Amino acid sequence: MKWPFALIILAPFSYGEVVDVTLTLTAATADENILDLGLSVSGIASDDTSEASGTVSARIDIAPESGEISTLELVTADVTTTGVSFVGTFIFATVYDLTTSDLGVTLDTPAPPAPVFDSLCAADFHELTINSGTLTGSSAVGEIPPQDFADTPVTGSGSPGDFIEISSTLNVELSTATEKVYDLNFVYPVAITQVIEVTEDFSATVAANGTVRAIGQVSLMTEPPNPYLEWAADNGDSDAPFVGNDFNIELENGLFWALGFEAGDAPRIFDREAAGAFALELPAGGTVAEVVVEVATDLDSAEPWTPLPSGQLSGAVNPIPAGTTGTLSIESVGEGRFYRLSAESPVE
């Protein structure tokens, strides 16, 4: 993948959590994980194709909530490419006849981490190295000593203007309220040309082109959703604290939410009824969280408030469960009794 303009690389900015991931190369197709390999000696060229398989170990900085990836480091790779043969001829004479075994390939980011913008990372931040396997054969001047890539690795950097894709997609079926699972997609454009000095008298220019694709998965723990904060944002004040009076002068924000009200509602919570009882009017949509009716007789004591016995609340039990609607009646037993409602924050 190439873009026709220059990209200004800025310092990477961390979005979230740095995690190590294993990416597995997908099955080879005509467009992916089949490399076109070419070899040229004194202008005489030959080519073959090789199938790549294996795994890539990477380290990414990924935001748990959005899945956005901000940095990429290729730690290593265990990739194998199938052996190839190169036969170069001139007129009717064979100039060279070379064969490779299966070759081992690794990947690296020399100066990690590399920045990622919109799922793209400049390929020239990274290197590809052939670090195992052999090249054997003969040339017009005789047998060529075996080239062991474990002893003399061949390394090439990604081409300037090419980009690695590293993207994530939320796996809805596997994700939960507190765990996000992302499917990862990794696409590495291979475009490398390197000169190999096989002997003092024999050198070859090797080119590799193609697309390596690998996939993986990462699981990230996330903060559980806070329905109060979602409600506050929907009602125009995402910064409203649970304890405060941003939506109603008489009811604290958290209680106003738990009772099922919306900004602009003007409820009458306690209406005095006959015989000293009180009416507790709930919205038609019902409460959205547990609400406790509490009673006190001595406001000067250290802990004056206790739950009202359920027998003194008609129409519901106490605590009042979420989803309760209608009008409840609180029986007032004796003089000098005080009542209040309370609710707990859904997330501490």
Side-chain angles (χ1 to χ4, degrees):
M1 183 185 303
K2 293 189 176 182
W3 285 2
F5 55 84
L7 177 67
I8 299 175
I9 301 299
L10 304 176
F13 178 80
S14 175
Y15 282 100
E17 186 173 341
V18 177
V19 294
D20 292 331
V21 296
T22 298
L23 306 165
T24 302
L25 270 63
T26 56
T29 67
D31 299 322
E32 298 172 349
N33 297 328
I34 294 288
L35 300 181
D36 295 320
L37 303 180
L39 186 141
S40 177
V41 178
S42 300
I44 300 173
S46 177
D47 60 74
D48 200 353
T49 58
S50 178
E51 183 175 319
S53 60
T55 60
V56 176
S57 297
R59 183 171 293 125
I60 59 175
D61 189 328
I62 181 171
E65 293 295 339
S66 67
E68 185 171 1
I69 298 171
S70 59
T71 67
L72 168 66
E73 176 187 353
L74 301 180
V75 179
T76 186
D78 184 11
V79 174
T80 299
T81 61
T82 54
V84 293
S85 296
F86 300 109
V87 178
T89 60
F90 181 71
I91 307 179
F92 298 108
T94 298
V95 178
Y96 58 85
D97 186 347
L98 303 174
T99 301
T100 74
S101 65
D102 290 353
L103 300 179
V105 176
T106 188
L107 299 173
D108 177 47
T109 305
V116 176
F117 299 98
D118 294 329
S119 300
L120 297 177
C121 181
D124 54 359
F125 277 105
H126 313 279
E127 292 181 343
L128 180 151
T129 299
I130 301 173
N131 63 353
S132 69
T134 58
L135 173 69
T136 58
S138 61
S139 71
V141 297
E143 291 295 317
I144 296 174
Q147 172 93 356
D148 190 339
F149 293 106
D151 297 330
T152 55
V154 176
T155 298
S157 298
S159 298
D162 281 353
F163 291 86
I164 294 172
E165 177 187 341
I166 178 69
S167 59
S168 69
T169 302
L170 180 67
N171 189 313
V172 177
E173 292 183 356
L174 298 181
S175 296
T176 67
T178 58
E179 182 181 20
K180 294 288 184 69
V181 178
Y182 291 98
D183 296 325
L184 303 175
N185 186 55
F186 172 82
V187 180
Y188 188 107
V190 178
I192 295 174
T193 300
Q194 196 74 19
V195 176
I196 300 176
E197 299 290 343
V198 181
T199 69
E200 291 183 0
D201 302 319
F202 187 89
S203 63
T205 300
V206 178
N209 293 276
T211 299
V212 171
R213 178 172 179 257
I215 58 175
Q217 202 169 76
V218 62
S219 176
L220 304 170
M221 302 306 296
T222 60
E223 292 292 331
N226 188 324
Y228 165 74
L229 292 179
E230 294 174 357
W231 171 87
D234 290 342
N235 280 274
D237 191 350
S238 58
D239 296 325
F242 195 80
V243 178
N245 294 95
D246 299 86
F247 301 102
N248 184 276
I249 192 63
E250 295 181 355
L251 298 176
E252 290 185 344
N253 300 332
L255 182 58
F256 200 60
W257 157 77
L259 287 168
F261 294 111
E262 302 290 337
D265 290 345
R268 295 179 61 84
I269 298 300
F270 289 118
D271 272 350
R272 184 174 293 277
E273 293 183 320
F278 292 93
L280 175 57
E281 299 180 7
L282 301 177
T287 56
V288 298
E290 185 178 271
V291 176
V292 181
V293 181
E294 296 180 326
V295 61
T297 56
D298 182 4
L299 297 182
D300 293 329
S301 64
E303 296 183 3
W305 297 101
T306 59
L308 180 74
S310 291
Q312 297 178 27
L313 176 66
S314 62
V317 296
N318 192 34
I320 302 168
T324 303
T325 62
T327 300
L328 311 182
S329 180
I330 301 174
E331 180 184 354
S332 179
V333 180
E335 297 294 330
R337 292 167 65 87
F338 305 91
Y339 301 94
R340 74 172 187 181
L341 304 177
S342 67
E344 293 187 0
S345 175
V347 179
E348 293 299 331

